[in-house]
């Protein structure tokens, strides 16, 4: 036993060091200023390899969008598929020499199913889920997924007609019961599932399925097939998510007669089985992030890289994007005149603290909009580096495009967008350079690399290639290798915007957002901020 483990550990290490990094692809979203005709559906053609994908996935049906979780898209051609026998062998190896227990694998598999669903179907629009669970481990995955989906904010129901008395399964049932998740018998299910559920999780059979489905699963499978006809009759029907194998399909041949279920999503576990090649629905995911390199090597598995910390990864063709259907319904607490600070700077600090507390990434990133003498506006992101009664400060290159525009027209607008909080803040005012001292002080507080970078970059001018920047950077690194202080170039420094108008925006349902505007007023020779509500 020790020998096997020792050997596999060594093998794992050596495989890890040689493991080719499979390319991960993502497709980009962009601000949706384009308003297509209702029928205008098109797919995003742009797929770019990135080292660590972290993106949203957009899908074809209204309400289907990726959450904030990362996902990536992988070319179907480069993925390998398992036969039924190989799938069973992998199972045995994982739970034999590799030391996994069935509970562990099932927990991770069920979690993968739940996270795949959450990536595509938002709980606000696809809330009622029926998990139909079969007698084997595929059914167990369905029970685990139902529990996670409950915690993700969905309302799951479970149909589990052929139970096993094994402690693992009775434990899963108890866990669901303790969450008051209803169990429905086959008789309690409506004839037509389309009215009561938004998502049907097909966890009836996995890779050990053989022959023709026996009762009561034959009828349950028919219920799922019938949904297809309701849809053809223009009725809204729930989406079907199949766990590992679309139930009733041959594990290798797929939907042989062509009259089987047609899932919208397939979550392959460990590695796709051969039948997955026949899956033509819009969402194919892989889950079960536990495959050790030793197994991948043995079965020559080519699997996509899981992005970041994600429990699932999209495989197969990217779905078509209907940009016109992408929308969020903002749900936030009310933002009322009585609650706001009299001084907009205090209000800004309050919201900034909220953004920090919510762990938002770079809450100090703001869009800066400027116009030159030609009156043509341009925007770009900069980082807020200080804010007080004198204004909002950022640093940049004094010979950049924005600097040229600011010299021609010293007025600008700043925009903060705090996605996770449904908030934006607009600040407008006049701009001036900060003192040289202030720029000096800030410049030397930056990492050495960024200081050198600022010297190298003649910001907004044309560069013949990346190598030129790197070459200059290297030369500077050598030049200043023995110096503790890197001199700030004259062409780098800060700007300060003195606010003349603020607007605090908080998203609300039905687009009836809160907008409170602050503008300065003279009252009895004193400057005070007047607050008004603007129509959304
Ligand atoms: N790495 C892995 O391997 C992992 C595997 N995982 C999961 O395990 C799944 C495989 O599980 P599994 O082996 O328990 O098989 P599965 O198909 O769920 O059920 C077999 C049951 O169905 C029955 N049955 C068969 N045919 C039938 C028919 N025609 N009509 C009626 N009943 C029929 C059969 O009864 P029998 O025919 O033996 O009498 C038996 O009771 C796999 O797909 C994945 O989801 C993950 O949890 C974690 C990682
Ligand atoms: C999140 C983020 C923060 C940025 N922060 C700064 C910054 O603080 N200063 C800066 O000069 N450029 C910053 N940039 C780069 C600018 O967006 C822009 O590319 C650059 O300043 C040139 O703009 P210009 O040609 O309009 O002058 C940032 C970019 C991003 C995406
Ligand atoms: C070109 C440029 N300058 C300055 C900054 C701000 O960097 P720092 O936080 O080091 O001041 C950024 C940040 O992205 C940048 O891209
Ligand atoms: K299934």
């Amino acid at each position: 036993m020790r020998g096997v483990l020792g050997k596999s550990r060594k093998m794992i290490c050596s495989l890890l060091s040689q493991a080719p990094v499979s390319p991960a692809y993502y497709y980009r979203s962009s601000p949706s200023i384009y308003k297509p005709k209702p029928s205008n559906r098109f797919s995003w053609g742009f797929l770019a390899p990135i080292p660590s994908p972290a993106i949203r996935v957009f899908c074809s049906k209204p309400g289907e969008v990726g959450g904030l979780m990362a996902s990536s898209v992988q070319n179907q051609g480069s993925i390998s598929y398992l036969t039924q026998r190989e799938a069973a062998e992998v199972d045995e190896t994982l739970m034999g020499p590799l030391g996994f227990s069935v509970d562990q694998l099932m927990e991770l598999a069920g979690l993968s199913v739940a996270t795949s669903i959450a990536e595509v179907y938002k709980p606000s629009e696809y809330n009622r889920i029926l998990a139909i669970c079969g007698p084997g481990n595929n059914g167990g995955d369905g029970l685990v997924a139902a529990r996670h989906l409950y915690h993700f904010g969905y309302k799951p129901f479970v149909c589990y007609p052929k139970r096993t008395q094994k402690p693992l399964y009775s434990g899963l049932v108890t866990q669901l019961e303790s969450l008051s998740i209803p169990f429905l018998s086959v008789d309690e299910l409506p004839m037509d599932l389309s009215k009561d559920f938004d998502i049907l999780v097909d966890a009836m059979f996995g890779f050990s399925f053989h022959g023709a489905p026996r009762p009561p699963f034959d009828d349950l499978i028919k219920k799922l097939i019938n949904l297809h006809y309701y849809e053809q009759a223009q009725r809204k029907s729930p989406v079907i998510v199949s766990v590992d194998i679309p139930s009733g399909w041959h594990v290798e041949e797929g939907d042989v007669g062509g009259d089987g279920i047609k899932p919208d999503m397939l979550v392959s576990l460990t590695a796709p089985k051969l039948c997955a090649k026949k899956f033509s629905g819009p969402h194919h995911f892989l889950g079960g992030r536990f495959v050790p390199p030793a197994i991948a090597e043995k079965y020559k598995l080519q699997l996509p890289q899981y992005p970041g910390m994600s429990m699932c990864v999209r495989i197969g063709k990217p779905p078509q994007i209907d940009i016109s259907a992408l929308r969020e319904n903002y749900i936030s607490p009310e933002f009322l005149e009585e609650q706001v600070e009299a001084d907009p700077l205090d209000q800004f600090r309050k919201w900034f603290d909220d953004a920090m507390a919510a762990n938002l990434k770079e809450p100090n990133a703001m869009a800066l909009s400027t116009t030159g003498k030609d009156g043509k506006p341009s925007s770009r992101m900069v980082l807020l580096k200080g804010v007080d009664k004198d204004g909002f400060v950022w640093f940049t290159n004094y010979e950049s495009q924005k600097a040229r525009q600011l010299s021609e027209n010293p007025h600008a607008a700043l925009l903060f967008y705090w996605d996770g909080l449904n908030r934006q803040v607009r600040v407008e005012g006049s701009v001036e350079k900060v003192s040289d001292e202030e720029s000096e002080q800030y410049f030397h507080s930056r990492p050495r690399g960024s200081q050198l970078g600022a010297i190298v970059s003649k910001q907004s001018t044309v560069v013949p290639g990346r190598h030129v920047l790197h070459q200059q950077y290297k030369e500077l690194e050598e030049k200043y290798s023995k110096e503790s202080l890197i001199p700030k170039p004259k062409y780098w420094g800060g700007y300060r915007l003195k606010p003349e108008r603020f607007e605090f925006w908080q998203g609300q349902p039905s687009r009836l957002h809160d907008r409170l505007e602050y503008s300065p007023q003279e009252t009895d020779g004193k400057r005070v901020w007047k607050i008004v509500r603007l129509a959304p």
Side-chain angles (χ1 to χ4, degrees):
M1 194 62 185
R2 233 164 78 201
V4 173
L5 282 178
K7 196 171 158 206
S8 60
R9 193 168 299 137
K10 217 170 175 182
M11 198 167 142
I12 289 165
C13 293
S14 77
L15 278 166
L16 269 180
S17 61
Q18 317 157 4
V21 178
S22 61
Y25 295 91
Y26 78 135
Y27 41 111
R28 293 261 307 256
S29 73
S30 81
S32 174
I33 41 171
Y34 168 74
K35 190 97 184 86
K37 290 185 210 94
S39 63
N40 195 347
R41 290 184 167 212
F42 57 93
S43 62
W44 217 247
F46 173 65
L47 293 171
I50 50 166
S52 118
I55 54 119
R56 300 182 189 204
V57 172
F58 296 97
C59 313
S60 58
K61 285 193 183 179
E64 288 182 18
V65 290
L68 281 170
M69 292 269 292
S71 186
S72 69
V73 180
Q74 188 82 17
N75 185 339
Q76 212 161 10
S78 65
I79 288 171
S80 43
Y81 297 80
L82 294 175
T83 63
Q84 190 165 25
R85 191 180 51 78
E86 285 170 337
E89 256 180 54
V90 168
D91 199 28
E92 282 160 28
T93 312
L94 284 168
M95 288 188 268
L98 289 173
F100 286 95
S101 69
V102 63
D103 310 35
Q104 278 185 296
L105 298 182
M106 196 175 281
E107 188 62 32
L108 291 169
L111 179 60
S112 302
V113 172
T115 55
S116 303
I117 290 175
E119 279 222 4
V120 175
Y121 304 111
K122 289 191 295 177
S124 54
E125 286 174 55
Y126 292 81
N127 194 250
R128 303 159 306 164
I129 300 186
L130 174 66
I132 309 176
C133 302
N137 289 350
N138 197 259
D141 295 346
L143 296 173
V144 173
R147 169 160 42 78
H148 288 293
L149 288 163
Y150 169 89
H151 290 296
F152 292 173
Y154 296 86
K155 180 154 179 46
F157 298 76
V158 175
C159 175
Y160 185 32
K162 289 268 174 222
R163 303 188 182 195
T164 99
Q165 290 316 309
K166 288 185 195 149
L168 166 58
Y169 291 85
S170 48
L172 293 175
V173 168
T174 307
Q175 291 157 28
L176 293 169
E177 284 170 347
S178 78
L179 298 171
S180 302
I181 290 173
F183 278 75
L184 305 175
S185 68
V186 175
D187 293 340
E188 284 169 314
L189 291 181
M191 267 298 291
D192 167 9
L193 296 175
S194 65
K195 290 200 200 78
D196 298 293
F197 304 105
D198 307 307
I199 300 178
L200 302 169
V201 177
D202 151 34
M204 285 179 266
F205 301 118
F207 60 64
S208 300
F209 175 75
H210 47 87
R214 297 189 296 271
F217 297 104
D218 51 351
D219 281 345
L220 287 167
I221 289 174
K222 270 194 207 119
K223 274 188 197 291
L224 300 193
I225 293 170
N226 286 340
L227 291 170
H228 185 55
Y229 299 107
Y230 296 132
E231 189 155 38
Q232 282 178 344
Q234 304 293 306
R235 295 228 325 249
K236 184 189 179 277
S237 77
V239 295
I240 300 175
V241 177
S242 285
V243 178
D244 210 18
I245 310 285
S247 295
W249 284 25
H250 189 282
V251 175
E252 294 182 357
E253 310 288 323
D255 183 13
V256 183
D259 49 4
I261 67 172
K262 301 207 167 16
D264 301 271
M265 174 185 266
L266 172 64
V267 185
S268 292
L269 294 167
T270 312
K273 318 304 170 295
L274 276 169
C275 67
K277 283 190 175 178
K278 307 281 167 65
F279 171 72
S280 61
H283 309 292
H284 189 186
F285 279 71
L286 179 67
R289 190 175 184 176
F290 45 64
V291 179
I295 293 243
E297 169 74 358
K298 181 167 175 201
Y299 293 94
K300 310 242 172 318
L301 289 183
Q302 273 192 290
L303 298 175
Q305 229 185 353
Y306 286 88
M309 268 63 80
S310 185
M311 294 310 293
C312 59
V313 54
R314 181 183 280 276
I315 48 183
K317 286 188 221 88
Q320 289 210 312
I321 304 163
D322 176 2
I323 290 188
S324 71
L326 294 178
R327 61 173 65 82
E328 285 286 334
N329 188 27
Y330 304 109
I331 299 167
S332 335
E334 284 178 327
F335 179 55
L336 302 173
E337 290 81 340
E338 302 85 270
Q339 303 163 348
V340 295
E341 298 291 331
D343 186 330
L345 206 63
D346 292 336
Q347 185 58 40
F348 179 82
R349 285 210 188 90
K350 219 169 159 179
W351 274 21
F352 195 85
D353 289 347
D354 289 345
M356 287 298 293
N359 238 340
L360 302 188
K361 193 174 164 237
E362 290 202 304
N364 62 328
M366 56 188 187
L368 161 70
S369 301
T370 52
T371 49
K373 60 174 184 266
D374 60 5
K376 294 180 182 171
S378 61
S379 301
R380 79 290 288 153
M381 301 300 291
V382 290
L383 294 182
L384 177 70
K385 288 291 162 174
V387 54
D388 59 21
K389 61 173 180 29
D390 297 323
F392 289 67
V393 174
W394 68 93
F395 293 87
T396 190
N397 186 302
Y398 283 154
E399 290 167 7
S400 62
Q401 191 215 15
K402 66 179 99 49
R404 179 185 55 76
Q405 290 186 323
L406 285 169
S407 71
E408 293 169 7
N409 174 15
H411 296 274
L414 303 175
L415 175 70
F416 296 84
Y417 175 52
W418 293 314
D419 177 8
L421 295 171
N422 300 337
R423 284 173 175 171
Q424 69 171 339
V425 179
R426 295 163 64 168
V427 189
E428 289 152 24
S430 55
V431 178
E432 54 186 35
K433 286 181 181 171
V434 305
S435 70
D436 226 26
E437 260 178 339
E438 204 174 333
S439 292
E440 278 287 343
Q441 201 177 13
Y442 177 68
F443 183 81
H444 296 298
S445 77
R446 304 177 80 213
R448 249 180 114 78
S450 309
Q451 296 184 39
L452 294 177
I455 303 176
V456 167
S457 171
K458 308 284 176 277
Q459 198 173 54
S460 319
T461 62
V462 176
V463 189
R466 249 196 102 66
H467 60 282
V468 179
L469 297 174
H470 279 275
Q471 184 56 37
Q472 288 172 3
Y473 183 94
K474 247 177 71 191
E475 285 165 16
L476 281 177
E477 224 175 7
E478 269 162 41
K479 180 174 168 188
Y480 293 115
S481 62
K482 295 203 176 65
E483 318 270 337
S484 63
L485 207 71
I486 298 168
K488 178 186 85 61
K490 275 214 271 303
Y491 52 80
W492 199 92
Y495 284 101
R496 176 174 279 109
L497 178 142
K498 201 171 165 46
E500 283 144 20
R501 178 185 179 267
F502 281 86
E503 183 197 313
F504 294 85
W505 182 101
Q506 181 149 302
Q508 297 294 354
S510 304
R511 306 298 191 231
L512 295 179
H513 316 300
D514 291 315
R515 295 179 64 189
L516 296 184
E517 182 194 61
Y518 291 71
S519 53
Q521 263 202 336
E522 289 287 327
T523 312
D524 303 331
K526 261 177 104 191
R527 204 175 114 116
V528 290
W529 289 97
K530 188 177 89 170
I531 303 173
V532 294
R533 175 173 288 268
L534 301 178

